[in-house]
């Protein structure tokens, strides 16, 4: 995998989501998110456009970016951040194959730490994915690896 291109311009920083800890007596800075706040944080952090999918196993999957860049899966108390990736199983069968980079129990991690972890890891996943994009020498457009025919040309220019 090529090194991450750190000179790429970053998206404008998004407004950090302030946690909505329970305000009952005894609440501390170590209070974790509730599910609603977690989903709100994911929506505010993941790249646009965002697709959201309810899976048969009860988990909730968010795919950010088009072409996809970041995948966030919430399954019970577990949240997993992955780099979006497509592999071909046969010449015409693209299959989404995510590469997990972080997985943790969001119900126990304090909201403040979870917010910064999620923002960091989503940004990291986005950079890892974008570092794989290639510029087509024929049309000049930057495309994800699965749309490239070879290092030089995209599939659209070869077809
Ligand atoms: Zn092209």
């Amino acid at each position: 995998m090529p090194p991450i291109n750190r000179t790429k311009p970053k998206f404008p920083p998004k407004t950090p989501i302030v946690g909505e800890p329970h305000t009952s007596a005894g609440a501390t800075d170590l209070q974790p998110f509730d599910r609603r706040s977690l989903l709100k944080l994911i929506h505010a952090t993941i790249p646009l456009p965002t697709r959201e999918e309810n899976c048969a196993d009860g988990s909730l999957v968010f795919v950010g970016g088009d072409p996809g860049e970041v995948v966030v899966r919430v399954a019970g108390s577990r949240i997993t951040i992955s780099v979006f990736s497509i592999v071909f199983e046969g010449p015409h069968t693209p299959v989404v194959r995510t590469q997990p980079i972080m997985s943790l129990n969001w119900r126990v991690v304090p909201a403040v730490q979870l917010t910064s972890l999620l923002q960091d890891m989503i940004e990291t996943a986005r950079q890892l994915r974008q570092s794989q994009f290639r510029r087509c020498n024929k049309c000049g457009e930057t495309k994800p690896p699965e749309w490239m025919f070879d290092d030089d040309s995209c599939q659209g220019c070869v077809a």
Side-chain angles (χ1 to χ4, degrees):
M1 186 182 295
I4 303 169
N5 183 355
R6 294 187 189 283
T7 60
K8 268 196 207 310
K10 286 191 164 194
F11 286 168
K14 295 185 176 176
T15 315
I17 298 300
V18 178
E20 294 176 15
H22 310 289
T23 47
S24 57
T28 70
D29 289 348
L30 297 178
Q31 196 69 47
F33 278 126
D34 58 27
R35 187 178 164 87
R36 196 174 58 85
S37 304
L38 175 78
L39 299 184
K40 223 164 123 180
L41 169 65
I42 294 170
H43 270 294
T45 312
I46 198 167
L48 298 172
T50 306
R51 300 191 296 287
E52 191 177 330
E53 200 182 315
N54 282 290
C55 298
D57 64 2
S59 64
L60 195 53
V61 173
F62 301 81
V63 179
D66 184 19
E69 296 175 349
V70 181
V71 181
V72 178
R73 175 186 288 268
V74 179
S77 58
R78 185 141 297 272
I79 183 169
T80 305
I81 316 286
S82 305
V83 182
F84 183 94
S85 164
I86 285 191
V87 295
F88 279 88
E89 293 185 351
H92 304 293
T93 315
V95 177
V96 175
R97 184 71 48 83
T98 60
Q99 302 167 315
I101 58 172
M102 183 188 82
S103 181
L104 54 77
N105 184 343
W106 61 268
R107 286 190 205 274
V108 299
V109 178
V112 177
Q113 278 87 344
L114 189 69
T115 301
S116 97
L117 275 171
L118 240 59
Q119 288 171 343
D120 280 359
M121 286 304 113
I122 285 175
E123 176 62 19
T124 299
R126 199 177 68 77
Q127 287 179 5
L128 286 169
R129 168 71 164 151
Q130 289 196 347
S131 73
Q132 299 167 351
F133 285 24
R134 291 289 173 266
R135 192 162 180 275
C136 170
N137 289 332
K138 297 201 166 68
C139 64
E141 285 179 32
T142 302
K143 311 227 169 176
E146 67 272 13
W147 293 2
M148 294 299 289
F149 177 76
D150 55 27
D151 281 348
D152 244 22
S153 330
C154 73
Q155 289 173 3
C157 288
V158 168

